[in-house]
Amino acid sequence: MRATLVQLDSHFGQPRRNVERALALMQAAAASDLIVLPELFPCGYTFTDPEEVRALAEPANSGPTFEALAAYARTHRVWIAYGFAERAAEGFFNSASVLGPDGLVGTYRKMHLFSRENLFFAPGQTPAPVYDLPIGKLGLMICFDWYFPEVARSLALRGAQVIVHPSNLVLPHCPQAMLTRSLENRVFSLTCDRIGSEHRGGVEHDFIGSSQAVGPRGELLVRLSGDREETATVDLDLAQADNKRLNPHNDLFTARRPELY
Ligand code: ACM
């Protein structure tokens, strides 16, 4: 599978600009099977009022962001994973969708909301999903989910070969931690972060960029800058993630002792 990370600087409250910018970076990158975009990329991150969420959230299967990305996926025969603020009958969610040439595959609602996200979004109530696609088995989680190793573990136990991880990172530890998430689960991981700063209503967020791809032995395949809009394209041999054998005596999954944990 060939995957492209699109690291961009979302401008808060400017979805048309942000989607156009993402499309331009996607267009300029090498042709891929999968494109990953950051968390909340159309709207930005630093909400100060629930009214802003109301104004900027979009349904998972309609709306300008979905329509633009679905058209791109159809035309280029590619799958796209991206984060957005979701408007649903049940409320507003910090969500990520995967869509492909034939439209929406599925949507995950972030279960571990970070800090002030709790003021603006409801937490998801369903497990992080694994999608069995023609390009590979994709597990999907969002940003702060990395802090809870159970999420990556459960994706791997359910067969994910690659963890797709749209993010808006404000803590410095995630890029190094994801080496371990990949190592301990023998899976690839694709963390796609944003860059830039948002100062709104007395709240400041500085995003660390450093989007990266990691291999199933914890090896860093590529890491982007901390401060530039840019893309990285990597070729992943996903079958490497199916072999959980560490040595003749240890299979990473069958050696687990959940009855003792
Ligand atoms: C985060 O979960 N966006 C820090």
Side-chain angles (χ1 to χ4, degrees):
M1 184 183 82
R2 176 169 285 190
T4 294
L5 305 173
V6 178
Q7 174 170 287
L8 75 156
D9 180 6
S10 292
H11 292 193
F12 187 89
Q14 298 184 37
R16 189 183 304 185
R17 178 265 171 208
N18 296 333
V19 172
E20 276 173 14
R21 185 72 189 128
L23 290 171
L25 288 163
M26 288 157 61
Q27 201 89 50
S32 288
D33 303 305
L34 173 70
I35 295 169
V36 189
L37 292 159
E39 178 185 11
L40 294 175
F41 95 91
C43 50
Y45 185 77
T46 312
F47 290 95
T48 60
D49 187 311
E51 277 310 314
E52 293 173 336
V53 183
R54 235 175 267 283
L56 291 166
E58 302 180 55
N61 59 0
S62 63
T65 301
F66 172 80
E67 299 296 347
L69 295 180
Y72 190 96
R74 199 163 47 241
T75 306
H76 293 81
R77 310 299 300 169
V78 67
W79 276 260
I80 302 173
Y82 67 102
F84 66 108
E86 183 190 357
R87 167 204 308 277
E90 305 93 308
F92 295 94
F93 300 92
N94 180 345
S95 295
S97 282
V98 173
L99 55 79
D102 298 323
L104 184 65
V105 173
T107 300
Y108 162 62
R109 295 170 173 167
K110 188 177 185 180
M111 69 175 90
H112 299 108
L113 296 172
F114 178 70
S115 191
R116 289 170 48 87
E117 291 172 30
N118 286 283
L119 304 178
F120 304 106
F121 297 108
Q125 300 296 341
T126 53
V130 178
Y131 301 122
D132 190 354
L133 302 177
I135 56 170
K137 295 185 182 124
L138 270 58
L140 184 60
M141 66 183 201
I142 302 175
C143 203
F144 190 47
D145 285 332
W146 71 267
Y147 224 111
F148 302 84
E150 296 87 345
V151 182
R153 174 68 95 200
S154 82
L155 291 171
L157 287 174
R158 284 180 284 131
Q161 297 167 309
V162 53
I163 293 176
V164 180
H165 185 208
S167 295
N168 273 190
L169 297 172
V170 293
L171 302 176
H173 316 104
C174 175
Q176 286 305 103
M178 285 306 294
L179 304 184
T180 303
R181 294 291 95 76
S182 274
L183 177 75
E184 66 201 3
N185 292 298
R186 272 277 176 98
V187 292
F188 291 87
S189 61
L190 296 168
T191 298
C192 187
D193 192 19
R194 60 165 290 177
I195 59 157
S197 298
E198 291 181 354
H199 300 214
R200 307 193 70 249
V203 179
E204 178 175 343
H205 288 120
D206 298 309
F207 302 97
I208 68 166
S210 310
S211 300
Q212 67 182 25
V214 181
R217 285 172 169 71
E219 69 276 33
L220 185 61
L221 302 176
V222 69
R223 183 176 286 167
L224 293 179
S225 70
D227 57 1
R228 286 193 305 278
E229 287 191 317
E230 53 188 342
T231 64
T233 298
V234 285
D235 288 310
L236 312 178
D237 175 8
L238 292 188
Q240 288 177 12
D242 295 333
N243 176 10
K244 305 298 182 188
R245 187 151 286 282
L246 295 182
N247 58 52
H249 304 284
N250 296 112
D251 177 285
L252 195 49
F253 283 2
T254 60
R256 296 170 62 243
R257 303 292 305 280
E259 73 280 13
L260 301 183
Y261 301 149

